[in-house]
Amino acid sequence: MSDMTFERMIQHMTPAIYESLKQAVSLRKWPDGRLLTPEQTELCLEAVMRYEIEHKVPESERVGYLGSNGCGSDTNDGEDSITWVN
C-alpha cells in the first residue's frame, strides 16, 4: 500500500467503495463472484466499521445495529406475549 496507511485509506474511502465493501462482507464474496478469504472478510469489516465512525454514519444505519425492538424483557414488561387459545 506504499505510504497509504489503513487510517488514511479509511479517510479517503468513497461512499461507493464503502457500499461495495459492505456488500462484499454481507455476501462473503467480491462483486465478480470470488469468495472472500476469512482475512479479507475481517479487513473489509474493519474498514466498513471504521468508515462508519470516521464519517459519522448514524448508529441505526451501521453494520450490526439491532435496535431496541430485538429480544429483551424491557419490551414486554415481564409478561408473556403468548396468547393461549382453546
Side-chain angles (χ1 to χ4, degrees):
M1 227 192 264
S2 66
D3 64 338
M4 179 71 77
T5 64
F6 191 77
E7 192 64 37
R8 285 192 62 208
M9 182 191 71
I10 301 302
Q11 291 170 351
H12 291 89
M13 188 185 302
T14 66
I17 293 172
Y18 161 73
E19 290 296 332
S20 180
L21 290 177
K22 198 163 84 167
Q23 182 180 23
V25 169
S26 175
L27 299 176
R28 298 282 198 253
K29 60 183 176 179
W30 295 111
D32 67 2
R34 290 178 295 133
L35 296 178
L36 270 73
T37 66
E39 294 82 13
Q40 290 171 328
T41 302
E42 185 178 331
L43 279 173
C44 288
L45 184 55
E46 182 179 353
V48 165
M49 292 168 61
R50 301 259 309 261
Y51 176 94
E52 291 173 343
I53 292 167
E54 179 76 26
H55 292 87
K56 298 177 179 30
V57 173
E59 187 176 313
S60 62
E61 296 175 23
R62 292 183 185 176
V63 167
Y65 178 76
L66 295 176
S68 61
N69 59 353
C71 295
S73 60
D74 59 336
T75 58
N76 63 10
D77 298 328
E79 296 181 23
D80 275 341
S81 60
I82 298 174
T83 303
W84 296 98
V85 179
N86 288 331

